[in-house]
Amino acid sequence: MHSNIHTFIGCDSTFDDAQVVIFGAPFDSTTSFRPGTRFAADYIRMDSFGLETYSPYLDKDLSDYHLTDIGNLDLPFGNASKSLELIEETATEILRADKIPFLIGGEHLVSLGTIRAAYQKYPNLKLIHFDAHTDLREDYMGEQLSHAAVIRRAWDFMGDGNISQFCIRSGERAEFEWAKTHTHLEKFSYETLKSVVDSIEEGTPVYVTIDLDVFDPSIFSGTGTPEPGGIFFNDMIKILKTLSPLNIIGADVVELSPHYDQTGVSTATACKVIREFLLTIL
């Protein structure tokens, strides 16, 4: 008899055998508009069994690889600093075991913990960011640890020339101005993605963060801050295929708020993105 434990489809290996380790970060305490991302990882795990392990897009199958899902972290709601510490500790343990951490959020702030851990192991780390929003504020209403400031906090230790942002279509004017001299930021699309990928030296460690509000709300309404003008699923397949030559050593998918889409389409889309993303990394 097997224990009744929910995992993402195809993640049946032990930790010791796994190449990729999935874990959830159910935290949305700095969400500035519509909360609910704390429920994302559980909904994604449940809905993932509506998928096959095989991807006809990539002609690869999760069953051919070793993945494990260690479940959700117990995070203290309302305590962003402590939550980030716990996320960083978990990611550090995974990286020390020479495995790839794959975080399911949660609001976008949770990515900072995993990025910190990746940077500690790989000080030459590159960060690639897909999002509707810049996330480059110095603070949001006086709070520096905010989902609206997560990429700015990553820049604090990564510095100039190491962060590339794509499909950005929302933010304060000051954020776009600041990005001109500190990050590579492409508004609205991902046309420069291939040139960025080609410019990264072979073997360089890369962390990829996908905020699911990068999608147009017409196909992805289940998110805290929906922004019209986004990309579509086939765009994401093109993006992942472009990323495939990179040495991706860590990743996350964040900002699904399942309750805002009663059709379930947003959760189904998130599941499929995660399957394709995992197979891109492997």
Side-chain angles (χ1 to χ4, degrees), residues 128 130 164 166 184 186 189-200 238-246:
I128 298 180
F130 300 93
S164 298
F166 299 94
H184 171 86
E186 180 178 347
S189 190
Y190 54 94
E191 292 179 1
T192 62
L193 177 60
K194 187 176 187 307
S195 63
V196 168
V197 169
D198 290 344
S199 72
I200 296 174
K238 293 176 184 176
I239 284 168
L240 294 174
K241 287 181 176 180
T242 303
L243 294 175
S244 61
L246 295 174

Side-chain angles (χ1 to χ4, degrees), residues 30 89 107 129 137 155 163 176 178 190 195 219 243 258-259 268-269:
T30 80
E89 288 172 5
E107 62 164 85
H129 168 221
R137 300 190 191 209
W155 175 87
I163 299 173
F176 285 98
W178 187 88
Y190 54 94
S195 63
I219 69 159
L243 294 175
H259 296 93
T269 302

Side-chain angles (χ1 to χ4, degrees), residues 39-271:
F39 302 108
D42 288 337
Y43 272 69
I44 285 169
R45 291 184 178 103
M46 179 174 63
D47 272 33
S48 72
F49 285 86
L51 293 176
E52 294 80 15
T53 56
Y54 173 72
S55 165
Y57 301 94
L58 302 177
D59 191 24
K60 297 170 75 174
D61 197 309
L62 291 175
S63 65
D64 292 332
Y65 302 92
H66 297 291
L67 304 96
T68 193
D69 182 346
I70 60 174
N72 291 342
L73 303 184
D74 291 323
L75 302 177
F77 295 123
N79 191 335
S81 180
K82 181 61 176 177
S83 294
L84 288 171
E85 287 178 14
L86 293 169
I87 294 166
E88 183 176 355
E89 288 172 5
T90 301
T92 297
E93 180 181 351
I94 295 167
L95 287 160
R96 282 177 178 165
D98 293 323
K99 304 175 190 303
I100 297 171
F102 193 103
L103 173 65
I104 301 175
E107 62 164 85
H108 207 165
L109 180 63
V110 300
S111 306
L112 185 60
T114 317
I115 296 168
R116 283 177 179 170
Y119 181 76
Q120 288 301 313
K121 182 170 183 177
Y122 303 104
N124 60 333
L125 184 71
K126 300 291 185 182
L127 175 63
I128 298 180
H129 168 221
F130 300 93
D131 202 327
H133 306 91
T134 54
D135 290 354
L136 292 174
R137 300 190 191 209
E138 177 56 34
D139 63 79
Y140 185 82
M141 299 182 70
E143 179 56 63
Q144 290 189 318
L145 291 178
S146 166
H147 75 114
V150 59
I151 303 301
R152 183 66 172 264
R153 296 287 76 79
W155 175 87
D156 286 344
F157 52 87
M158 293 186 68
D160 292 347
N162 295 308
I163 299 173
S164 298
Q165 303 177 266
F166 299 94
C167 308
I168 310 298
R169 57 189 185 275
S170 181
E172 291 186 327
R173 178 188 297 177
E175 294 178 82
F176 285 98
E177 289 298 316
W178 187 88
K180 288 178 181 179
T181 54
H182 297 290
T183 75
H184 171 86
L185 186 152
E186 180 178 347
K187 291 187 289 187
F188 314 127
S189 190
Y190 54 94
E191 292 179 1
T192 62
L193 177 60
K194 187 176 187 307
S195 63
V196 168
V197 169
D198 290 344
S199 72
I200 296 174
E201 187 176 346
E202 184 177 358
T204 299
V206 177
Y207 187 99
V208 179
T209 177
I210 298 177
D211 184 327
L212 290 164
D213 67 26
V214 71
F215 286 109
D216 192 82
S218 63
I219 69 159
F220 204 99
S221 59
T223 189
T225 315
E227 291 283 348
I231 66 170
F232 293 88
F233 183 77
N234 286 342
D235 292 300
M236 181 55 68
I237 294 299
K238 293 176 184 176
I239 284 168
L240 294 174
K241 287 181 176 180
T242 303
L243 294 175
S244 61
L246 295 174
N247 176 28
I248 300 174
I249 55 78
D252 65 68
V253 174
V254 298
E255 293 286 358
L256 168 68
S257 286
H259 296 93
Y260 296 115
D261 183 356
Q262 293 301 309
T263 70
V265 170
S266 298
T267 301
T269 302
C271 291

